[in-house]
Amino acid sequence: MKRYAELFETAEARAIPLSVLVELTHACNVDCEHCYLDLRSDREIGALSTEEWRRIFRELAAEGCLFLTLSGGELLARRDWFELARYARELHFGLRLYTNGTLIDETIADQMASLAPRAVEISLHGGTDTTHDAITRRRGSFERTLRGVRLLRARNVPVQLKCVLMRRNQAEHAAVRALADELGADLYVDAEVTPKNDGSREPVALGLSVDELRAVAADLWPCAQARHFDREARLADAPCAAGRRTCHIGPTGDVSPCTQWTQSVGNLRTQSFSEIWRGNATLARLRRTTTGDLTGCRECALLEACTPCMALSLLERGNLDGPSPTKCRTATARASAYGIPGSAAGSLASSADLVPLRIRR
């Protein structure tokens, strides 16, 4: 862990894009009710070709990228996913694959195993077919997902299941954990349901209320106990790694600091990755920004329990300074687990000042 920490510190200090998440497609064979993406076919959006992606991978390697995540939409909806993944491994990237698992058969499981990925991350939205299928809005998706996980685990491929905790599935939290144990998979549970990237707040209504989050806070954040918090150090630190040592590339070549940063900082059809990464003014600003620069967050009593997000602040309020209602809701519940008194800087009740930025990629 110490080596990784040193690697991350060096990458941030030198603005090396250590980890990049690539969305190869926005097409998907399920339609999850909480998805932040505007799902559209590759033909409709004019997605990058195989050769364009191969060039981009080479440019990422030249800039020092070590960890590459291939995602969607649904990754396996791209017919060339394996060709691109294999090429990424030839360039010596540490590879992660994001998928819903429903399209994994024996052949695809063999292909994934041959890549020796760091992990295959698979969404599991409930402990029963009724709940999972209701969230994906596709009958039979639960059983197909579990089959995909079992095929991968039979080949010793590391699998991480991911569950977004919402009102529809909160009662099955324990069942999801039990399934992960049974399948020999790791489990990551997230309780943040964010607006869609086109500005729609419809998914937010699916999430847990602050009181509901409080009820599961001890399980979600098991480290919750008295801690030594250096507020001044936190204010002097970066809010997150976006644009510093991580970034996101969408299926048409738009580069952004992270997956929910809806404004492109450049397109890889007209510029090289190096030109964007080294020359973009927005990225330069992010690298200068500290948590203390976020005027909406720096005085917050719950800063210890929060992970401020400039992308969500931009999406929800139209500026980078926060506070993000999504983050305030999470911080309020987490603070309960940590035993931190006070209230979040942002309003949790009113949405009158929210800005729906109807932006399409």
Side-chain angles (χ1 to χ4, degrees), residues 100-102 122-124 132 141-149:
N100 61 47
T102 61
I122 296 178
S123 301
L124 182 65
H132 179 92
S141 60
F142 179 74
E143 291 301 330
R144 291 195 295 273
T145 292
L146 294 187
R147 178 175 182 269
V149 175

Side-chain angles (χ1 to χ4, degrees), residues 27-102:
C28 191
N29 64 319
V30 300
D31 185 23
C32 296
E33 60 183 357
H34 62 290
C35 184
Y36 65 89
L37 290 175
D38 180 19
L39 298 174
R40 301 159 71 192
S41 70
D42 288 349
R43 179 175 296 180
E44 184 181 359
I45 65 175
L48 295 167
S49 68
T50 306
E51 287 308 311
E52 285 176 309
W53 277 120
R54 288 165 68 96
R55 170 182 59 80
I56 290 167
F57 289 177
R58 292 193 296 271
E59 292 179 3
L60 292 176
E63 278 295 320
C65 177
L66 296 182
F67 306 114
L68 190 68
T69 298
L70 302 185
S71 179
E74 170 49 44
L75 168 66
L76 303 181
R78 284 242 355 180
R79 294 181 180 179
D80 60 353
W81 79 268
F82 181 59
E83 178 182 349
L84 290 172
R86 185 170 53 192
Y87 187 65
R89 292 295 288 127
E90 290 173 4
L91 293 173
H92 305 295
F93 289 118
L95 197 62
R96 282 183 178 268
L97 306 174
Y98 287 3
T99 173
N100 61 47
T102 61

Side-chain angles (χ1 to χ4, degrees), residues 214 229 231 234 297-308 327-336 338-346 348:
R214 285 193 181 105
F229 176 57
R231 189 178 187 89
R234 178 66 179 277
C297 299
R298 65 188 177 203
E299 303 297 333
C300 182
L302 305 187
L303 183 61
E304 178 182 359
C306 189
T307 53
K327 287 296 181 179
C328 288
R329 182 177 295 106
T330 304
T332 299
R334 194 192 299 257
S336 294
Y338 288 170
I340 301 170
S343 58
L348 300 177

Side-chain angles (χ1 to χ4, degrees), residues 165 167 191-195 201 203-214 217 220-221 300 302 305-307 312 316-317 323-337 343-351 354:
L165 205 59
R167 291 179 178 176
E192 287 186 349
V193 182
T194 62
R201 292 187 59 79
V204 177
L206 305 171
L208 301 182
S209 68
V210 172
D211 287 341
E212 289 168 330
L213 280 171
R214 285 193 181 105
L220 286 175
W221 303 294
C300 182
L302 305 187
C306 189
T307 53
L312 281 176
E316 295 181 292
R317 293 196 182 274
S324 151
T326 296
K327 287 296 181 179
C328 288
R329 182 177 295 106
T330 304
T332 299
R334 194 192 299 257
S336 294
S343 58
S347 168
L348 300 177
S350 174
S351 60
L354 301 185

Side-chain angles (χ1 to χ4, degrees), residues 119-170:
V120 177
E121 301 192 12
I122 296 178
S123 301
L124 182 65
H125 301 304
T128 65
D129 56 354
T130 300
T131 298
H132 179 92
D133 292 1
I135 291 173
T136 63
R137 296 188 278 210
R138 293 292 185 272
R139 183 177 295 180
S141 60
F142 179 74
E143 291 301 330
R144 291 195 295 273
T145 292
L146 294 187
R147 178 175 182 269
V149 175
R150 292 188 177 104
L151 287 171
L152 292 177
R153 293 302 299 131
R155 292 157 175 79
N156 293 317
V157 176
V159 172
Q160 182 178 66
L161 297 176
K162 300 185 296 185
C163 179
V164 178
L165 205 59
M166 300 178 285
R167 291 179 178 176
R168 192 190 291 274
N169 64 8
Q170 63 177 313

Side-chain angles (χ1 to χ4, degrees), residues 220-238:
L220 286 175
W221 303 294
C223 301
Q225 53 187 308
R227 305 175 338 157
H228 298 289
F229 176 57
D230 187 336
R231 189 178 187 89
E232 291 306 312
R234 178 66 179 277
L235 292 173
D237 200 4

Side-chain angles (χ1 to χ4, degrees), residues 6-38:
E6 292 173 348
L7 181 63
F8 295 157
E9 288 175 7
T10 300
E12 286 205 21
R14 299 180 183 178
I16 297 171
L18 192 66
S19 179
V20 177
L21 187 147
V22 163
E23 289 175 347
L24 294 179
T25 180
H26 279 175
C28 191
N29 64 319
V30 300
D31 185 23
C32 296
E33 60 183 357
H34 62 290
C35 184
Y36 65 89
L37 290 175
D38 180 19

